[in-house]
Amino acid sequence: MATAENLTQKKRFRPAGKAGFGGVALGNGFQHNADLECLQAVEAAWNAGIRLFDTSPWYGLGISERRMGLFLKDQPRDSFTLSTKVGRLMLPHEDFKMEQSLWKGKLNFAYKYDYSAAGVRQSIEESLQRLGLSSIDVVYIHDLSPDNGDMKDSYAHYFEQAVNGAMPELTRMREEGIIKGWGLGVNTVEPILQTLEVADPDIFLSACQYSLIKHDEDLNQVFPKVAERGISIVVGAPLCAGFLSGKDRYLYDGTFPAGVKEKLNALQQVARNHAVELHTAALQFAAAPDEVSGVIPGAHTAQQAVQNAQAFNIKIPTDFWKELKHEKLIAEHAPIPDK
């Protein structure tokens, strides 16, 4: 059995650069987006220097993987990092309907949960077919979290299935050289902390938990734990699903938690004081911690993709960050960009 000491000494896979591209919008998240528009968005991200791409079978029930792969299949495989996810298997189903679905447009697949070892192998093989690629770098166990209402009361059951199935199987696949790393892709911190107690992950996709709006739990609970073992974090939803870039929505469930609009107004005022684009500041804030190895804002147009890519390289005055801390809009000990 691995000891705490040799887990700490293990050198774990990290993407080469922090600026990335998330695939929710490619799966028709929030609205239907045209195939060509999505392909142009991925191409624009690539041309702007992005080499970290994240997708999932869940995003549009296969649509995001197909669209992302349509561009990436023609690029040298060793020139980019690709992550996808496991935990749901796609089932052919003509014109599948979902109530209150994030995914818009026509869906031709249903799904079932499967966090078993066999399910993981099947999911990865099917993802490779949809992507048109020969390999995947990072695999995240997806939505294995108590906030996933679709699981009803079965979270504990599925977590146990993953502990006995998906987690050791992904470790074996890493040791076999099939993948470079694995972890969880979740919207809460609890499953990450649980997984650290029972398995040997390399990298976590922590969504909805590290942004200018909300970051205390990742900062205080997750980052110290992963740092002890050389594990890194990829930040998902750094713009809170567009909330920090002007969209009238907050994350994924259609509600605005108490205080978030007021905090947004306060952040916007500080940004105006320093002539800073809040969208730019949000992405740089998410990328600042040493524990963070990637930040994956989404895009479905070329303009959005370029704007996201360029945001990581714009100089932001130090006084902007100082004012945010003085006004207690970000934690005093939160890392800030050093450029």
Side-chain angles (χ1 to χ4, degrees), residues 186-217:
V186 289
N187 299 338
T188 61
V189 303
E190 292 87 353
I192 293 176
L193 298 174
Q194 284 182 268
T195 300
L196 289 170
E197 296 294 324
V198 298
D200 185 27
D202 307 278
I203 184 169
F204 289 108
L205 199 174
S206 182
C208 310
Q209 297 299 313
Y210 202 77
S211 70
L212 285 174
I213 297 291
K214 177 182 179 181
H215 50 269
D216 287 347
E217 288 185 331

Side-chain angles (χ1 to χ4, degrees), residues 18 27 59 77 111-112 122 149 155 161 187 208 223-224 265 286 289 297 308 318 336:
K18 291 189 178 185
Y59 300 162
R77 185 59 195 88
Y111 65 96
K112 67 175 181 179
Q122 180 181 342
Y155 166 66
Q161 184 184 50
N187 299 338
C208 310
F223 288 1
N265 290 336
N308 287 342
T318 303
I336 59 173

Side-chain angles (χ1 to χ4, degrees), residues 6 42 62 145 167 267 270 332:
N6 60 34
V42 182
S145 177
M167 295 181 191
L267 289 166
V270 177
E332 179 60 36

